[in-house]
Amino acid sequence: VYAVVYGARNHGSRAFCSFLAKHGYSLIIIDSDEVSLNSAEKHVTKDYPDISIMKIKMEDFEESEALRIIKQINKFGEVIRGLVITKNVMLNEQNSKRFEDMSYDEIHQIMYDNNEMMVGLINVLLKSIKKTGNGFIINLRNQKYRTEEDSIFWDLLYNSTSKYSSLILDSLRKVETKVSFINVAVNYEAIKKDEDKEKLCSKTFNYLGI
């Protein structure tokens, strides 16, 4: 049984990759950065060396690549049971400084690319996840940075990513009864310790009843 984790370079993805591996899931980790993918793999295999991990470097959503992965997994009699989305663009000090030199059109393009990846993955994976009868889609939203100084950037980011992704999942929840959906607000900087990561993941899956 596989679970897909979108995002490899934050504490949220590390938390769920380890938690899923601990509970016997094989992993498909997707990110645009190869170094982060390798680091995430090393993080998991350090404690769970026998877990099967498939790393996918995908800068923009590619439907053909996603479908190829699904066919490859199904070919070996495996199933994809869930998707964990951890890569909402975060407003941190580094991003704030980077965005200060960008036009709003450029910032919106970054948000668009992120949203396209999330919606594309859900669209392609939903059919496979539904087949399991007890699948899940988890959307993590980093809620740390919100100051008066960064209010313009925050509003732009929040409305373009976190709020949008929440609306998508809320809409799906109303029509898809074979899949459990949850939006989880979390401060990534507050889950650096292993016990905090474990608590976050356990609480999420207990809520889902999985």
Side-chain angles (χ1 to χ4, degrees):
V1 178
Y2 278 83
V4 178
V5 179
Y6 170 45
R9 66 183 85 180
N10 60 64
H11 293 297
S13 65
R14 298 292 174 88
F16 276 89
C17 281
S18 293
F19 186 85
L20 290 163
K22 178 182 176 180
H23 288 81
Y25 284 87
S26 297
L27 299 173
I28 301 169
I29 308 174
I30 300 174
D31 200 282
S32 59
D33 183 68
E34 195 164 351
V35 173
S36 297
L37 285 168
N38 291 335
S39 177
E41 179 185 41
K42 194 176 293 184
H43 176 81
V44 174
T45 55
K46 172 172 60 74
D47 295 320
Y48 309 101
D50 297 328
I51 288 296
S52 174
I53 298 178
M54 188 184 299
K55 298 175 296 180
I56 309 295
K57 183 182 177 186
M58 197 184 290
E59 296 184 12
D60 300 304
F61 178 69
E62 301 170 25
E63 184 173 352
S64 59
E65 175 66 4
L67 288 171
R68 184 189 68 77
I69 294 165
I70 293 172
K71 286 178 182 177
Q72 183 178 335
I73 289 169
N74 290 340
K75 183 179 177 182
F76 294 105
E78 299 282 0
V79 295
I80 296 174
R81 189 183 179 193
L83 168 65
V84 182
I85 302 159
T86 74
K87 194 177 178 182
N88 287 318
V89 174
M90 297 172 287
L91 183 61
N92 54 31
E93 187 178 351
Q94 182 181 354
N95 278 342
S96 291
K97 290 176 180 176
R98 182 162 63 93
F99 288 153
E100 283 174 6
D101 299 324
M102 289 184 177
S103 68
Y104 279 105
D105 286 341
E106 289 174 312
I107 296 172
H108 271 297
Q109 186 61 48
I110 293 172
M111 306 305 115
Y112 175 83
D113 291 343
N114 217 46
N115 289 333
E116 182 187 39
M117 177 72 86
M118 183 204 72
V119 173
L121 287 173
I122 290 176
N123 185 49
V124 170
L125 294 172
L126 188 58
K127 185 176 180 180
S128 295
I129 293 172
K130 282 169 64 175
K131 284 182 180 178
T132 66
N134 56 354
F136 59 87
I137 296 180
I138 299 166
N139 178 48
L140 298 186
R141 296 176 295 139
N142 184 23
Q143 299 286 51
K144 180 183 178 184
Y145 300 97
R146 190 173 191 176
T147 65
E148 290 300 321
E149 187 178 339
D150 287 328
S151 60
I152 294 176
F153 293 113
W154 170 265
D155 289 340
L156 184 58
L157 289 167
Y158 180 77
N159 287 297
S160 298
T161 53
S162 295
K163 192 173 181 181
Y164 178 76
S165 62
S166 296
L167 287 171
I168 290 291
L169 260 66
D170 288 341
S171 299
L172 284 170
R173 188 183 291 115
K174 294 175 182 176
V175 295
E176 297 293 350
T177 57
K178 293 183 179 180
V179 180
S180 297
F181 300 90
I182 186 172
N183 289 298
V184 182
V186 58
N187 177 354
Y188 284 165
E189 293 301 311
I191 56 170
K192 290 181 177 179
K193 295 179 181 178
D194 289 342
E195 56 265 34
D196 294 324
K197 289 183 174 71
E198 176 74 22
K199 184 178 178 182
L200 167 68
C201 297
S202 295
K203 202 170 176 182
T204 300
F205 277 95
N206 283 340
Y207 180 86
L208 292 173
I210 297 175

